[in-house]
């Protein structure tokens, strides 16, 4: 048994130590290589997206012509503001503003909120709306 040397740490042989060290170097080397590949792919995709954005921006400006001089017309009356929405009692102004802002953000400026009311709650639970949503989410079957 000339080729087996017992190391003082619990009877490991030189072969065991070289196997462990080779495995560690190989695993960490491949992890570093994988990180470099992912970083390189990210840079490639970023440059592709930047080129697409630049092409889209150039396409918008290709047909641009200088705007003709605008002759100022007499001041027109400002359009009448939209009527305030019909709000059910118990709904605060902050909630009306938040709902109106959400509708404006999702649908655009050409939509008018005409009314805000609470939906009837057939069998309101003690948990409330958020508690019921949590129960539904966590008890939904995995199909």
């Amino acid at each position: 048994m000339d080729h087996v040397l017992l190391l003082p740490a619990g009877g490991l042989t030189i072969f065991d130590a070289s196997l462990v060290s080779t495995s560690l170097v190989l695993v960490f080397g491949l992890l570093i290589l994988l990180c470099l590949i992912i970083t390189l792919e990210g840079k490639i995709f970023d440059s592709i997206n930047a080129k697409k954005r630049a092409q889209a921006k150039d396409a918008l400006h290709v047909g641009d012509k200088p705007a003709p001089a605008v002759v100022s017309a007499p001041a027109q009356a400002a359009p009448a503001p939209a009527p305030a929405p019909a709000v059910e009692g118990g709904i605060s102004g902050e909630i009306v503003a938040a709902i109106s802002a959400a509708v404006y953000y999702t649908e655009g400026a050409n939509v008018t909120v005409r009314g805000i009311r609470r939906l009837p709650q057939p069998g309101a639970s003690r948990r409330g709306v958020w508690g019921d949503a949590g129960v539904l989410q966590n008890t939904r079957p995995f199909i």
Side-chain angles (χ1 to χ4, degrees):
M1 290 205 149
D2 295 339
H3 63 281
V4 176
L5 295 175
L6 294 178
L7 298 176
L12 293 176
T13 63
I14 298 240
F15 175 74
D16 294 335
S18 67
L19 181 67
V20 168
S21 62
T22 303
S23 300
L24 285 173
V25 168
L26 185 65
V27 166
F28 283 111
L30 289 175
L31 283 175
I32 291 170
L33 180 66
L34 186 61
C35 288
L36 291 174
I37 289 172
I38 291 172
T39 303
L40 180 65
E41 284 181 350
K43 291 188 184 292
I44 290 171
F45 290 133
D46 284 343
S47 67
I48 290 171
N49 287 338
K51 286 179 185 176
K52 284 183 182 178
R53 276 186 255 129
Q55 289 174 353
K57 187 176 179 182
D58 290 341
L60 288 175
H61 294 296
V62 166
D64 286 350
K65 295 179 183 175
V70 176
V71 178
S72 63
Q76 296 178 356
V87 178
E88 183 180 292
I91 299 177
S92 68
E94 290 89 13
I95 293 175
V96 172
I99 291 172
S100 299
V103 169
Y104 176 81
Y105 180 75
T106 57
E107 299 297 327
N110 54 355
V111 176
T112 303
V113 176
R114 293 190 180 133
I116 298 174
R117 63 180 175 86
R118 294 181 188 270
L119 290 177
Q121 301 269 334
S125 69
R126 296 178 307 183
R127 288 191 275 311
V129 177
W130 290 106
D132 290 340
V135 168
L136 284 173
Q137 178 183 2
N138 294 322
T139 58
R140 186 174 30 228
F142 300 105
I143 296 176

